[in-house]
Amino acid sequence: MSPPSARTSDAADAPAGTVAPLSQYVLKLTSRCDLSCDHCYVYEHPDQSWRRQPRLMTPGTVEATARRIAEHAAAHRLDAVRVVLHGGEPLLAGAARIAAAAVTLRRAVGPVARLDLRMQSNGVLLTPEIADVLVTHDIGVGISLDGDRSANDRHRRYANGTSSHDQVRRALALLRRPEYRSIYAGLLCTVDLANDPIRVYRALLAEDPPRIDFLLPHANWDRPPARPDGAVTPYADWLLTIHRAWLADGQPVPIRLLESLLATATGGSTGTEAVGLAPVDLVVVETDGTFEQVDSLKSAFHGAAATGLDVFRHRVDEAAAHPGIAVRQSGLAGLCATCRSCPLVRRCGGGLLAHRYRTGTGFDNPSAYCADLAALIRATAAPADPQTDRSADTLPPAVLDDLGSGRGSAESVAHLTAVHHGITRALTVALSPAATADPVAAAGWRLLVDLDVSAPDAVDRVLGHPFVRRWAQRCRAGATGELSHLAAVAAAAAVRAGVDVDLVLPVRAGAVHLPTLGAIVVDAGADTVPVVISGGVVELRAGRRRVRVRPAVEPNPDRWQPTRAVHTDGGTVLLEDTDPYRDCFDLAVASRLSPAVADRWTRQVQRAVHRLDTEAVGYAAGVRALLRAVVPLRPDPSGRSRSAAARSAFGAVAVTPVVDDAALAVLLVHEVQHLKLDAVLDVCELFDPADARRLRVPWRDDPRPVEGALHGVYAHLAVADVWRHRPGSAAAAHFRRYREWTDGAVDALLDLGSLTVDGERFVRRLRATLDDWR
C-alpha cells in the first residue's frame, strides 16, 4: 500500500538557510498485516526492518508524534497538515486505538493548523463500529483493490492462500452507505500486466469510488519490472488502454495518475509523487517513533528508508534536513544528469524515487519505468493553454540552438510539430467531458477514441490539420456551441481509415466540413444531417435526398468541394479554402476558389517551395517539415502582397495573391519563421512576460512589445537570408536593409534585460548568424 499524495509547493517558498517544512506524515499505527500480499514492499522486499518494530504504536508514541507535528507546523506557520494512518494494516489497531490516536492528533495539531486525517487500508476488517469512529473523527479511508476477484486474488490473499475479495467488497459496500459515504476516499490499484485492464477498470468503477489511483509495482534496476515478450512499454500500454476507456466514458471518476499527467503538462500541480517536479514533503513515523523516509524505499535495499532520528529526541526540522528527505525538496536539481537533460522532465519528474535505485549508483538514475513514463506522457499530456503556458515542457539545448540560428533542421522542426500535435490532442481530450452532454459530439468522441486504437495514423493526420487546434481552442474559450464539430473530426478520420460508421454531423454555412478532406454542400435549413460512411464513401441522408461523395477519387462540383492537395518535392501542402476555422488571421480569407484560380495557386506554391532549395537552403527543410496548408486571402485593396500566420493554426500560412513564385517564396519563409517561434514559445519562456516595456524597431512606426520585436527579428533574419542568396543589385539592397533592421533589433533585445537564460541563448545565436554574414 502507498499513502496518498506526498506533494506540496511550500518548499519553493522556504527562506534561504532554513529547512523546507514538512506538511505530510505517515503514522504506522501497526507494523503487521492480516493479508500476505506477495507484491508488498514492506514485507516481501529487501528491507525487513518491520521485524524489529513493535506490533502497535503506543499512546505515548502517538502523543510524542503529535507534539512534534504541532511544533513544526507552528514554527513554519503551516495552514494545513495531512496525517495518514497506515501500517501494515491500520485497522488491526482496532476502533478504540484509532479513536484515541485521532483525539490526540487533533488536540495537539488543531490549535495551530488544519488537520486532514486519512487512512489507507486493505478494508477486510472494516466494520460499522470502526466506520462510526472514522466518521466521528473525520478520517477519510482509501481501500486497496486490484480489480475483480481474479485480479485481486492474484496478489491480495491471506497467508493461507484464501481470497480476500469478498471481505474487501463488503467494506466498500459499507462505505457506499449514506452514513459513511463522506469517509470514502477512493481506491488504490496496483498494476499487474496479467490482469485485463478494461476488466480491472470496470470492476473499480462498479464500486462507485470518489477517486481511483493506479500504482506501478515497485521495481528498480536491480529488480527490474517484468516485461513480457520483450515489450518496451507494457505498463504504459496497459494504462493507456484504461485511459482511452476513461476518456470515452467522459472521465466519470478522477484517476489521480492520469489527471496528474495532464496537470503537469499545463503547469499545474501533480497529485502524486510518481510524476512531476513538485517537492515531496513527507516523512514516515514507524511504530517505535523513528522517523523514516518514504517507505516505498524499502523495496530498494535493507535500511534504505532509515534516518537514525526519532520523535522523542529529534524535531521534525531535523528530519526535514536529512539528506534523503531534503533532496526530494530540490526538484530538478535532485535528479540524475540523464533526467535533467530530458525534454519530458517537468512532466515526469524522474518518476518515483524507489524506482531509480541501482547498486553502485544508488538513486542517481532514471526510473526503471523510464520508457513507460515517457510513453504515457507523450500519449496523454501536453499544454492545454498554449497561449499562456510555457512551463510544461522544454526543448533540448541542441534543438534550441539549431532553431536559434534562424534556420532549423527538419529534425528540430519535428520537435515543434510534436509539441503542436500534443497540444491539439490535449485540447481535444479536455473537451471530452463537455462533449458527453452533446449527443452529436459524444458519438464523435466515442468514434475518435476507437479509431485512436484501430487507426492511429488516420487520427494523427486529422488532428495534425492546423484548424483542428483552432476549433478546439475556440471551444475551450467558451464556444461550446461548436462542440459538435468533434463528430466531423472523427468522421474525417473514419474516411481516411476506411472504417464503416453511421454518424450525425453538424451543418455550418450550408455544408458539412470534414477537416483535411473538404466540404459537402447540403440543403439550407438543417443544423445536422445523418451520414453513413462505408468503404471511403460518404452518404448524406437529408430527408428523401441522398448525397453520395467519394472524397478520395470522385469530384462532384455541385455537392463536393474537396480540399486541394499541392504536391511538392517530398511532401503535400493543402490549399485550404473550405475549412470553417481558417478565419483566424487578421486578414480576410478568400472564398472557394474556382478551378482555374486553384490551378494557378497550385503551380505557384509548387514553384515557390522548389525555389527554397536554392535560395533558402537553411530554411527549406523547415518549411517542408512544417507547412501543412496555404490559405488564400482576398486581395489587398492597396495591391500589396500580404501574408499572415496564427499561433492557433500551427502549420498554416495565409497569403494574398502575389505576382510570382519568387514573392511567394519570401512570404512562406517569413510566416513559417513566425510559426516556428510561436511553437518555441509554447514550451520555452524566452522573456519576462511581465515586462511591459516596448522597443523601437526600424520596420514599424509604433514601438513593439518584447515578443513582437522578437518575432520581427526572427522573421526578418530569414528574409534577409533569402535575399542574400538571390542575384542582382536589387536583391543585394533588400538584403542590406533586412540585415540592418535585424542587426539593430537584436542588440536592443540583448541590452533590454528582459530575456531569460534560454532567451538570451536563443538571441545570441541569432547574433552569431548575423556576425557570420560579415
Side-chain angles (χ1 to χ4, degrees):
M1 294 183 292
S2 174
S5 169
R7 295 287 188 173
T8 180
S9 59
D10 293 341
D13 302 321
T18 66
V19 298
L22 303 181
S23 68
Q24 304 200 55
Y25 302 82
V26 173
L27 264 63
K28 297 297 191 78
L29 288 185
T30 69
S31 69
R32 301 296 188 273
C33 188
D34 46 354
L35 295 184
S36 184
C37 307
D38 58 14
H39 58 8
C40 179
Y41 59 84
V42 173
Y43 303 109
E44 302 296 333
H45 282 229
D47 190 303
Q48 292 291 297
S49 57
W50 62 273
R51 297 180 183 276
R52 62 170 173 78
Q53 289 292 337
R55 290 178 175 272
L56 296 170
M57 181 177 282
T58 67
T61 303
V62 175
E63 181 72 41
T65 304
R67 287 198 307 268
R68 290 301 191 192
I69 295 173
E71 172 188 70
H72 186 74
H76 291 274
R77 299 180 181 178
L78 298 180
D79 293 328
V81 168
R82 173 176 291 184
V83 176
V84 181
L85 306 179
H86 212 277
E89 171 49 51
L91 293 184
L92 285 171
R97 282 181 178 268
I98 293 171
V103 169
T104 299
L105 287 162
R106 291 204 183 277
R107 184 169 55 232
V109 180
V112 296
R114 180 175 59 83
L115 177 60
D116 178 11
L117 263 180
R118 302 289 180 96
M119 175 184 287
Q120 185 64 41
S121 169
N122 61 36
V124 299
L125 293 179
L126 187 65
T127 63
E129 178 190 10
I130 293 177
D132 287 337
V133 167
L134 300 180
V135 169
T136 299
H137 297 282
D138 192 19
I139 304 172
V141 59
I143 301 296
S144 298
L145 180 69
D146 286 349
D148 59 12
R149 180 182 295 276
S150 63
N152 201 65
D153 286 354
R154 199 176 297 280
H155 301 289
R156 298 189 183 278
R157 291 176 173 270
Y158 289 97
N160 64 5
T162 58
S163 171
S164 65
H165 189 251
D166 289 341
Q167 289 86 342
V168 179
R169 293 206 64 209
R170 175 189 51 75
L172 293 171
L174 189 66
L175 291 173
R176 289 195 300 272
R177 284 164 50 173
E179 61 266 38
Y180 301 128
R181 181 75 196 191
S182 65
I183 60 169
Y184 189 4
L187 296 177
L188 183 68
C189 174
T190 300
V191 174
D192 189 319
L193 301 179
N195 295 330
D196 179 81
I198 296 301
R199 287 183 61 184
V200 168
Y201 168 66
R202 296 297 177 201
L204 300 180
L205 277 188
E207 302 299 337
D208 193 20
R211 180 175 296 275
I212 296 173
D213 197 14
F214 289 101
L215 298 182
L216 294 170
H218 288 309
N220 53 50
W221 293 103
D222 287 357
R223 302 170 67 245
R227 299 190 181 279
D229 303 321
V232 178
T233 58
Y235 297 91
D237 298 341
W238 196 94
L239 287 164
L240 288 172
T241 301
I242 290 176
H243 178 252
R244 287 188 289 268
W246 179 63
L247 293 179
D249 291 343
Q251 303 174 32
V253 60
I255 296 181
R256 189 167 62 171
L257 176 60
L258 300 180
E259 291 191 334
S260 293
L261 288 169
L262 290 170
T264 56
T266 56
S269 299
T270 178
T272 171
E273 62 179 304
V275 294
L277 277 177
V280 179
D281 73 333
L282 176 144
V283 68
V284 176
V285 181
E286 281 287 354
T287 52
D288 65 353
T290 54
F291 284 118
E292 288 198 342
Q293 302 172 62
V294 62
D295 57 354
S296 58
L297 295 181
K298 294 178 186 292
S299 63
F301 59 90
H302 185 74
T307 67
L309 308 173
D310 63 69
V311 297
F312 304 105
R313 299 174 298 154
H314 304 96
R315 294 175 294 112
V316 175
D317 273 22
E318 294 173 84
H322 184 277
I325 294 176
V327 72
R328 306 193 71 194
Q329 303 273 42
S330 61
L332 189 65
L335 301 180
C336 70
T338 301
C339 290
R340 290 198 303 272
S341 64
C342 177
L344 302 179
V345 67
R346 295 186 184 278
R347 301 179 186 183
C348 169
L352 204 65
L353 179 63
H355 299 166
R356 305 176 207 163
Y357 180 73
R358 186 198 298 266
T359 300
T361 53
F363 297 98
D364 192 31
N365 309 287
S367 169
Y369 289 102
C370 181
D372 293 282
L373 291 171
L376 272 172
I377 289 165
R378 291 190 175 105
T380 64
D385 188 0
Q387 298 293 352
T388 59
D389 178 63
R390 298 174 179 87
S391 62
D393 205 344
T394 186
L395 294 174
V399 172
L400 193 63
D401 285 347
D402 184 37
L403 294 167
S405 71
R407 303 179 187 94
S409 66
E411 291 77 15
S412 295
V413 174
H415 275 273
L416 304 182
T417 302
V419 168
H420 154 72
H421 190 66
I423 289 170
T424 305
R425 275 187 167 273
L427 285 166
T428 307
V429 167
L431 296 176
S432 59
T436 58
D438 179 323
V440 173
W445 175 246
R446 289 192 295 270
L447 173 59
L448 197 64
V449 171
D450 290 343
L451 290 173
D452 203 29
V453 177
S454 61
D457 290 345
V459 173
D460 284 345
R461 189 165 177 184
V462 175
L463 292 183
H465 191 51
F467 306 111
V468 172
R469 173 172 167 180
R470 158 74 170 165
W471 155 75
Q473 286 186 198
R474 281 179 55 83
C475 291
R476 285 298 303 276
T480 54
E482 300 177 18
L483 276 171
S484 58
H485 187 64
L486 182 58
V489 173
V495 172
R496 290 194 172 280
V499 171
D500 297 348
V501 66
D502 293 7
L503 278 178
V504 173
L505 298 184
V507 176
R508 180 169 177 170
V512 168
H513 298 273
L514 302 176
T516 72
L517 296 175
I520 306 172
V521 178
V522 301
D523 295 330
D527 294 327
T528 59
V529 60
V531 172
V532 176
I533 300 171
S534 178
V537 176
V538 181
E539 180 176 284
L540 275 63
R541 299 179 175 180
R544 297 180 180 179
R545 297 292 300 273
R546 296 287 189 274
V547 179
R548 288 171 56 88
V549 299
R550 192 183 301 273
V553 296
E554 182 181 336
N556 183 345
D558 294 333
R559 291 288 185 177
W560 174 232
Q561 297 180 347
T563 302
R564 286 122 171 169
V566 180
H567 301 292
T568 63
D569 296 337
T572 300
V573 177
L574 298 179
L575 189 62
E576 184 57 85
D577 59 357
T578 62
D579 196 288
Y581 293 95
R582 73 190 190 283
D583 60 346
C584 54
F585 308 99
D586 294 334
L587 304 171
V589 298
S591 55
R592 177 69 173 175
L593 303 177
S594 69
V597 172
D599 286 345
R600 286 199 297 274
W601 272 97
T602 297
R603 291 193 298 273
Q604 206 168 59
V605 171
Q606 287 173 331
R607 290 195 295 263
V609 172
H610 182 70
R611 288 183 74 107
L612 300 180
D613 293 330
T614 56
E615 296 178 347
V617 178
Y619 302 89
V623 171
R624 292 180 188 280
L626 186 152
L627 188 62
R628 295 285 185 270
V630 171
V631 178
L633 296 172
R634 294 179 185 175
D636 187 81
S638 69
R640 293 171 54 204
S641 295
R642 303 285 301 277
S643 60
R647 191 167 185 170
S648 63
F650 180 83
V653 170
V655 191
T656 61
V658 294
V659 293
D660 56 26
D661 55 274
L664 180 57
V666 173
L667 294 176
L668 290 180
V669 169
H670 181 276
E671 298 304 337
V672 166
Q673 288 296 98
H674 286 306
L675 292 172
K676 285 159 59 179
L677 185 56
D678 276 336
V680 171
L681 292 173
D682 276 342
V683 292
C684 292
E685 196 163 77
L686 300 184
F687 57 89
D688 179 3
D691 192 339
R693 288 178 293 172
R694 291 177 173 259
L695 291 172
R696 287 282 180 185
V697 293
W699 59 85
R700 291 282 293 258
D701 293 331
D702 54 323
R704 304 299 293 152
V706 177
E707 183 172 356
L710 188 58
H711 263 285
V713 162
Y714 200 58
H716 288 140
L717 180 137
V719 172
D721 213 353
V722 174
W723 287 115
R724 190 168 71 97
H725 286 87
R726 286 187 176 177
S729 58
H734 282 307
F735 164 64
R736 287 193 299 272
R737 180 177 62 171
Y738 280 99
R739 183 193 64 193
E740 289 167 4
W741 282 359
T742 308
D743 196 70
V746 162
D747 289 342
L749 282 167
L750 290 171
D751 292 341
L752 188 64
S754 183
L755 299 178
T756 63
V757 172
D758 280 343
E760 184 157 338
R761 178 176 185 152
F762 189 83
V763 176
R764 287 198 182 280
R765 287 286 293 157
L766 297 177
R767 173 78 271 162
T769 296
L770 289 165
D771 292 343
D772 285 345
W773 292 348
R774 291 193 172 91

